[in-house]
Amino acid sequence: KQVQNRQDMHSAQRTALAAIDLARLTLRDDARKNHVDHMLEAWTMPIPPMDVEEGQLGGRVVELQGLFNLANRIKNGQPDRSALQHFQRLLIVLGLESSLSDRLEQALIAHLQARNPATLAVFPYQSLEALGELPGFTSEAIEKLKPFVTLLPEPGPVNANFMSPELLLAMLPEASRADVNTLISQRSGHFYATVNDFIAAFPEALRGKVARELFVVESRYFLIEVDSWFGRAHLRYQALLGRKPNNLPEMIWLRRIYEGGISPV
């Protein structure tokens, strides 16, 4: 049984890693065919558990630039005020305390003062869970943030084809809930081919207030989630991929997910 368990673990791991490599090839080919990422693309569909060899495999590709990127809070070695306001409004839209944004800013300032700002190339926290060390960032608050917030290796714009109405409200306070619902409904069964198309969909009175540089229609970062079952072995992995034009997406990190938490591989 021990030998069989080891073999099952090895098969589950090998198959899961192969699935991640397949996702990398899929995203590379997608970028070669077009420069627009949207919800109607085939890679956005989750793959339910399917038979492979003597086991099962399932997973999904999650686009990440449709979320608020906490790395945007740091710009040129200093807290970015615009991103601060976006995060504050997002907290309010989600029914969380806006003071969480102030506490995060205080922690960032303390971190910057403790070291040379020029060496701070990325956001100092490595995951959303790491925010739990700050007052107010309870496990419940972090879970509520997860569908709307991410942490990428670098600051960047938001993909208009994936962003939620909550994030759009946070980034454009002049827009009403009705304006946002109209923009999101227009995206259903369709997509914005350019940022200009996205801006043109706003009411005329709002178009001049949209900061074009904050939005894109092509994504660079994706999360791969894979579940692999062989015998009694069940392995779950997450991988963050960074994609550049015409290149195979880079695996930035790979984690094995346990019921009690995560562990780098």
Side-chain angles (χ1 to χ4, degrees):
K1 286 184 177 180
Q2 291 177 349
V3 171
Q4 184 63 52
N5 288 342
R6 285 196 295 267
Q7 290 177 342
D8 289 341
M9 288 288 289
H10 175 73
S11 296
Q13 182 182 53
R14 176 171 50 84
T15 305
L17 297 180
I20 293 172
D21 283 338
L22 180 59
R24 295 172 68 199
L25 290 169
T26 299
L27 291 171
R28 182 200 63 185
D29 293 344
D30 173 74
R32 289 178 175 178
K33 293 175 183 176
N34 66 81
H35 296 287
V36 181
D37 295 302
H38 53 85
M39 293 184 178
L40 301 179
E41 295 196 270
W43 57 261
T44 64
M45 297 295 294
I47 299 175
M50 54 184 292
D51 293 336
V52 290
E53 299 179 357
E54 298 179 358
Q56 286 190 318
L57 179 72
R60 64 174 181 160
V61 179
V62 181
E63 192 278 345
L64 292 179
Q65 280 188 245
L67 307 179
F68 178 81
N69 180 13
L70 280 177
N72 289 352
R73 293 292 303 268
I74 296 290
K75 184 177 181 180
N76 299 324
Q78 294 295 325
D80 183 80
R81 299 302 301 178
S82 176
L84 165 66
Q85 293 171 353
H86 294 163
F87 189 49
Q88 282 180 331
R89 288 194 290 264
L90 180 60
L91 290 167
I92 294 171
V93 170
L94 297 178
L96 295 170
E97 295 181 15
S98 61
S99 59
L100 293 179
S101 183
D102 297 327
R103 293 169 190 168
L104 178 56
E105 183 180 24
Q106 292 168 4
L108 294 176
I109 291 173
H111 185 86
L112 288 164
Q113 292 175 342
R115 57 187 297 181
N116 180 0
T119 66
L120 185 63
V122 297
F123 191 74
Y125 297 94
Q126 299 303 307
S127 67
L128 295 185
E129 287 78 9
L131 297 179
E133 67 184 54
L134 301 179
F137 281 90
T138 63
S139 58
E140 292 80 8
I142 292 173
E143 284 301 313
K144 201 165 186 177
L145 285 172
K146 280 183 178 180
F148 306 96
V149 175
T150 188
L151 178 56
L152 302 179
E154 60 181 349
V158 177
N159 188 321
N161 285 317
F162 286 91
M163 70 185 307
S164 65
E166 290 85 357
L167 181 53
L168 184 51
L169 276 172
M171 296 184 69
L172 192 65
E174 296 87 352
S176 67
R177 175 72 71 169
D179 293 330
V180 168
N181 289 340
T182 299
L183 285 163
I184 298 299
S185 65
Q186 289 182 9
R187 195 177 65 186
S188 301
H190 188 60
F191 60 90
Y192 297 113
T194 66
V195 175
N196 287 337
D197 290 342
F198 172 62
I199 295 175
F202 281 86
E204 187 173 355
L206 291 176
R207 292 172 193 166
K209 299 178 181 180
V210 181
R212 190 185 189 284
E213 68 277 8
L214 296 180
F215 303 98
V216 291
V217 294
E218 184 177 14
S219 298
R220 290 190 54 195
Y221 290 99
F222 305 85
L223 180 70
I224 311 300
E225 297 181 339
V226 175
D227 281 277
S228 182
W229 295 267
F230 279 78
R232 297 172 62 187
H234 173 206
L235 298 184
R236 174 171 295 169
Y237 286 99
Q238 287 183 342
L240 176 64
L241 302 185
R243 183 177 68 179
K244 295 182 179 179
N246 300 318
N247 291 332
L248 190 67
E250 173 191 4
M251 188 186 300
I252 298 170
W253 51 251
L254 174 67
R255 295 170 177 167
R256 180 178 170 188
I257 308 299
Y258 296 90
E259 291 186 4
I262 60 177
S263 174
V265 176

